Each structure stands twice: as C-alpha cells, then as structure tokens.
Amino acid sequence: MSEDPLKALSDMASDAHARIQAAHQHINPVVEVRRGMRDAGIPADVMTIDCLRTRRRITLILHDGQPGLMLYQFVTMDDEVGNDFKQMPLADVAVDTLFDWMQDYFG
C-alpha cells in the first residue's frame, strides 16, 4: 500500500470504475474526492462513488485519527451521511472490493 492512503484508494477506485464501465455500461459511477471535512477542520478525507441512475452513494472516509482503517457507508444521494459507518482495514481494500460494491449496490 502506498504511503499516501488517499492516493492508493483513489487509484483503486479509478481501476474499479474502469472495470465497471467495461462490464456494466448502465452503471457509469461518478467518483469524487471531497475536501469539505478538511475545510471544516475535521482531519479526514472523503471519497464518494455515486450512481446517478439509481441515486445511490458509497461514502469512503480515511480519518487521520484512525490510520490504516477505511470507514464506509452505503446511502442514497438524497440522504445525509449518518453515524453508522462500517470499517475495514485499508490493507484489505482492493480493486475487486470496490468493483463488487459498485456492481452489487448500483447494479
């Protein structure tokens, strides 16, 4: 894993995005890194993966206070992010993980 966890996660999301587009043209997710939490003084990076067709969102958070962990949540684009995040070691996240999540949740 890269020394920069956000770059590593971004690279995996980019690869998963390309695979999803090749396998499921109807899904066409939008991946975005958001700076809002850092701009508000919260030491965390946020990535969202949206499906405009289903209006579903996967939210991924890398919090400086929990190094080595990725927090994640499946919501809709209309919902506010809640407090019920699941977590997994960032070392366990792979392109296949993100691909499967997009395929299953957005498909």
Side-chain angles (χ1 to χ4, degrees):
M1 177 90 25
S2 160
E3 284 187 32
D4 180 355
L6 182 59
K7 176 163 181 4
L9 185 59
S10 295
D11 290 347
M12 286 187 280
S14 180
D15 291 348
H17 180 268
R19 284 182 51 197
I20 279 289
Q21 285 189 308
H24 305 285
Q25 292 180 358
H26 68 283
I27 294 178
N28 195 24
V30 176
V31 179
E32 180 179 7
V33 175
R34 298 174 176 230
R35 302 252 346 142
M37 289 181 77
R38 286 216 183 267
D39 293 345
I42 300 168
D45 294 305
V46 178
M47 177 183 295
T48 58
I49 306 170
D50 294 338
C51 179
L52 301 178
R53 183 183 58 81
T54 62
R55 304 226 17 102
R56 291 182 175 179
R57 170 175 287 160
I58 301 169
T59 303
L60 311 172
I61 297 180
L62 300 175
H63 196 288
D64 294 357
Q66 296 178 306
L69 287 180
M70 180 185 76
L71 307 175
Y72 64 97
Q73 188 175 80
F74 297 85
V75 295
T76 69
M77 292 170 60
D78 300 319
D79 292 338
E80 290 293 321
V81 174
N83 292 325
D84 56 338
F85 278 88
K86 296 180 180 174
Q87 64 184 25
M88 67 186 301
L90 191 55
D92 291 351
V93 179
V95 173
D96 287 342
T97 307
L98 300 176
F99 175 87
D100 290 344
W101 287 354
M102 286 186 244
Q103 178 175 253
D104 296 345
Y105 191 56
F106 298 154

